[in-house]
Amino acid sequence: MTEPVVYLNGDMLPLSEARIPVLDRGFIFGDGIYEVIPLYDARPFRAQQHLARLQRSLASIGIPDPFSATEWLALITRVVTANALGDQMVYIQVTRGVAKRAHAFPKEVTPTVLIMTNPLVLPAAALREKGVACVTMEDRRWLNCQIKSVSLLGNVLAAQHAAVNGVTETIQFRDGFLTEASSSNVWVVKGGRVSAPPKDNLILEGIRYGLMEELCAAMDISLEARRITRDEVFGADELIISSATKEILPVVTLDGSTIGTGQPGPVFAKLYAGYQAAKLASSDELTTS
Ligand code: PDD
């Protein structure tokens, strides 16, 4: 297999030759942000929304955006073109850059920019057809979860909790209310209506959040953003998780308790079909220049 080619600070390099200095603030402080953009058959899905979130994340931590959306798309195109893959996930990371270790922002520093791509391995059909198991834990992360920060230790610990329990995700609660999973948003279905935690500082607003809003509106499914209690989650008819790499998945057990009928439900089925149709209808293109 040929080695992946990545973009690092202006260069296209084989992955094994891509290096950053140890004083990079991403390494020292986790001082940076990232994005994960899915591509189907080399066509980016909702790239503009991902790039807008990238810009928001950078602005929220005071890193100047090194590129315009058009320039980002051109760089993504370079990386995608250099790697012969089908469905893939493009990973972008921007850190504040390299400077002597001191917590406050250095005065003159150039952001470090990495873009790489990997095959997008979607969940096996059996997981969609049978549903997945999840566990819960208290959300002990910081209070700026809306930033797609590379400081992911809290998310890593939550993901590890799922891994040691042999399940797909850890769904988190803060002070008794649903927030999100380690790397997915969570959707609660009751009586045919969908609820989700509000888009605030307690969750990352997934790009699929906007998509679910559009799908629900198009299908006349009521969607409400509100605080959701632990009891409501366990008492849901259906529970759904969403992310760029999972698309949407039905959750059928939580901490070993059955959710709803224990089978993927009709609202999931409709939304999943809508998701697939949205992928096919997407007019996003890589740049041709
Ligand atoms: N994670 N919440 C968290 C904490 C996430 O890390 C993610 C995605 C989401 C869903 O966002 P989106 O719909 O834009 O994928 C919600 C990515 C996939 C990751 O870290 O790999």
Side-chain angles (χ1 to χ4, degrees), residues 38-76:
L39 282 88
Y40 296 99
D41 201 15
R43 284 157 54 92
F45 186 51
R46 302 188 74 91
Q48 296 309 328
Q49 291 90 333
H50 279 281
L51 293 174
R53 184 172 66 184
L54 176 79
Q55 287 166 351
R56 285 202 302 278
S57 293
L58 287 170
S60 66
I61 64 167
I63 296 181
D65 193 338
F67 303 115
S68 67
T70 309
E71 288 166 335
W72 277 116
L73 208 52
L75 290 175
I76 292 169

Side-chain angles (χ1 to χ4, degrees), residues 34-36 50 53 89 141 148 152 155 180-185 204-209 242-245:
Y34 76 108
E35 262 306 323
V36 176
H50 279 281
R53 184 172 66 184
M89 42 175 277
R141 299 172 303 157
K148 202 161 171 62
L152 283 173
N155 305 64
E180 61 182 341
S182 78
S183 61
S184 339
N185 290 121
L204 180 78
E205 181 187 334
I207 299 310
R208 267 123 292 276
Y209 200 122
S242 66
S243 82
T245 47

Side-chain angles (χ1 to χ4, degrees), residues 48-114:
Q48 296 309 328
Q49 291 90 333
H50 279 281
L51 293 174
R53 184 172 66 184
L54 176 79
Q55 287 166 351
R56 285 202 302 278
S57 293
L58 287 170
S60 66
I61 64 167
I63 296 181
D65 193 338
F67 303 115
S68 67
T70 309
E71 288 166 335
W72 277 116
L73 208 52
L75 290 175
I76 292 169
T77 304
R78 269 173 78 184
V79 175
V80 166
T81 310
N83 295 273
L85 299 173
D87 293 352
Q88 54 199 292
M89 42 175 277
V90 167
Y91 176 89
I92 302 176
Q93 178 168 334
V94 184
T95 75
R96 199 173 306 278
V98 180
K100 182 169 177 294
R101 185 182 180 277
H103 288 62
F105 300 174
K107 284 216 163 46
E108 275 171 31
V109 67
T110 307
T112 298
V113 178
L114 168 72

Side-chain angles (χ1 to χ4, degrees), residues 99-247:
K100 182 169 177 294
R101 185 182 180 277
H103 288 62
F105 300 174
K107 284 216 163 46
E108 275 171 31
V109 67
T110 307
T112 298
V113 178
L114 168 72
I115 307 176
M116 60 183 177
T117 189
N118 282 292
L120 174 64
V121 182
L122 293 172
L127 295 181
R128 263 190 343 260
E129 287 154 15
K130 295 199 168 70
V132 301
C134 292
V135 289
T136 68
M137 75 184 240
E138 179 67 15
D139 191 338
R140 297 190 185 281
R141 299 172 303 157
W142 70 334
L143 294 172
N144 283 313
C145 299
Q146 80 281 11
I147 303 171
K148 202 161 171 62
S149 160
V150 292
S151 304
L152 283 173
L153 188 53
N155 305 64
V156 165
L157 295 178
Q160 183 61 14
H161 183 56
V164 296
N165 282 285
V167 300
T168 298
E169 257 288 24
T170 296
I171 293 179
Q172 302 174 100
F173 293 85
R174 197 186 284 274
D175 303 327
F177 292 97
L178 173 66
T179 55
E180 61 182 341
S182 78
S183 61
S184 339
N185 290 121
V186 182
W187 308 85
V188 175
V189 184
K190 187 78 182 176
R193 303 161 79 91
V194 180
S195 302
K199 295 181 252 182
D200 60 14
N201 62 310
L202 301 182
I203 66 164
L204 180 78
E205 181 187 334
I207 299 310
R208 267 123 292 276
Y209 200 122
L211 179 58
M212 291 284 267
E213 289 175 326
E214 288 173 25
L215 293 176
C216 286
M219 295 175 179
D220 227 2
I221 299 171
S222 146
L223 169 59
E224 192 185 0
R226 61 180 179 83
R227 297 262 168 257
I228 301 168
T229 65
R230 198 179 165 85
D231 284 351
E232 286 181 279
V233 172
F234 277 87
D237 296 337
E238 298 180 44
L239 209 52
I240 298 169
I241 53 177
S242 66
S243 82
T245 47
K246 298 181 196 81
E247 300 191 334

